[in-house]
Amino acid sequence: MRAVVVVLLALLTPLAAAAQTTAPPVPAPTEPAPVTIYDFEVVRRYPHDPGAFTQGLEFRNGELLESTGRSPSTVRRVRLEDGVVIQKRELDASLFGEGLTVFGDRVLTLTWKGGQGFIWDPVTLEPKGGFAYAGEGWGLTHDATRLILSDGTATLRFLDPQTLTETGQVPVTVQGRPLRQLNELEWIEGEVFANVWHTDYIVRIDPATGVVKGVIDLASLMPDRSGLDPTDAVLNGIAWDPEGRRLFVTGKNWPTLFEIRLIERVAN
């Protein structure tokens, strides 16, 4: 278990050090919080559009809502079974699409820079408005009362879902050290699951404290990535089906979406 945490910290130490110019340091606890490591088994594979530079992913009414980056960035409805894009809206060519979540009867999406967010109808994907936020937009999810936003720093930010103004923040730490590069987010049974950009790890965050309670090791999920960009075609995209208790993951430009089941790793 310790090996995975050590690797995660080693990957992020330079980034965490750089973050101190924009975020206050988080003091290490006297005894680091334990981190549970999870392996996985693949339950089922589904086709995924290899042209989709996946930024946000959510399961709704038996299908997927997905936001993509690059140009043109899109918001789309996707049929789960065969990956067919049912409906799609393109963003202005000047915008780089980022995270997505569904709150009530609204789909909300972020853009990378410029602090511009959009609201869409979940059925027609007709635009219904916009909103502004400070800093960059990376991932977006929600609990029962708040939107939760990641911006590349070691912080989760909370927004009021009606006014879309910021109401609070929590620093994210793994064993007392700031964890940056939190990307796509998903709320799952009281925890925030987050992709860590440029790694094959998903972290499980306690939203009350920001402490990473678990790390999902997906390094062996798709071992053959030949033909994919080794820099940008990385693991990104988490969706949860609360009724079927199904967990879906994919990556940027990956040809496959995976339904996986988590297995707690037994200490040696």
Side-chain angles (χ1 to χ4, degrees):
M1 294 184 187
R2 177 174 172 76
V4 170
V5 176
V6 169
V7 170
L8 183 61
L9 289 171
L11 285 168
L12 299 172
T13 293
L15 301 169
Q20 301 310 313
T21 60
T22 57
V26 178
T30 303
E31 293 189 14
V35 178
T36 303
I37 310 302
Y38 296 88
D39 294 310
F40 68 93
E41 63 179 5
V42 173
V43 177
R44 188 172 174 185
R45 293 171 172 84
Y46 301 87
H48 180 249
D49 178 8
F53 195 73
T54 304
Q55 301 286 53
L57 193 67
E58 188 148 332
F59 182 88
R60 179 184 183 272
N61 292 346
E63 63 187 33
L64 296 169
L65 285 160
E66 183 174 19
S67 58
T68 70
R70 292 187 165 167
S71 184
S73 295
T74 69
V75 179
R76 50 180 70 185
R77 291 172 53 213
V78 179
R79 196 158 58 212
L80 173 65
E81 288 75 14
D82 57 13
V84 168
V85 178
I86 303 168
Q87 203 162 21
K88 181 171 68 174
R89 299 284 178 178
E90 293 185 357
L91 275 60
D92 185 90
S94 65
L95 298 172
F96 194 106
E98 288 283 350
L100 170 152
T101 198
V102 183
F103 194 96
D105 62 352
R106 297 174 299 161
V107 178
L108 300 102
T109 63
L110 304 176
T111 55
W112 181 23
K113 296 182 177 180
Q116 188 173 1
F118 294 95
I119 303 171
W120 313 85
D121 183 279
V123 177
T124 65
L125 296 186
E126 288 285 343
K128 297 180 66 176
F131 60 100
Y133 50 90
E136 296 184 357
W138 286 41
L140 190 65
T141 189
H142 68 87
D143 61 14
T145 61
R146 306 171 296 179
L147 301 178
I148 306 171
L149 180 149
S150 64
D151 59 9
T153 71
T155 301
L156 292 179
R157 296 158 54 186
F158 304 109
L159 308 180
D160 182 286
Q162 302 307 321
T163 65
L164 299 168
T165 56
E166 187 167 323
T167 59
Q169 299 183 355
V170 65
V172 177
T173 59
V174 56
Q175 295 203 327
R177 297 166 68 178
L179 181 60
R180 281 170 53 86
Q181 306 292 79
L182 303 170
N183 206 352
E184 218 271 303
L185 306 178
E186 184 78 5
W187 178 265
I188 302 178
E189 298 185 336
E191 296 179 341
V192 176
F193 283 46
N195 284 114
V196 182
W197 189 43
H198 280 156
T199 79
D200 287 318
Y201 299 132
I202 292 173
V203 293
R204 299 175 59 163
I205 304 166
D206 180 340
T209 63
V211 171
V212 171
K213 298 291 190 180
V215 178
I216 305 168
D217 183 354
L218 296 177
S220 61
L221 177 62
M222 198 169 74
D224 182 7
R225 301 185 191 182
S226 55
L228 296 178
D229 184 333
T231 301
D232 287 334
V234 295
L235 181 75
N236 201 54
I238 311 166
W240 174 247
D241 169 14
E243 292 185 6
R245 295 182 54 79
R246 294 183 294 174
L247 177 60
F248 304 99
V249 296
T250 191
K252 301 172 187 285
N253 300 129
W254 284 20
T256 307
L257 177 126
F258 299 88
E259 179 187 342
I260 63 172
R261 181 179 296 116
L262 302 185
I263 303 168
E264 186 173 334
R265 184 175 296 178
V266 177
N268 294 327

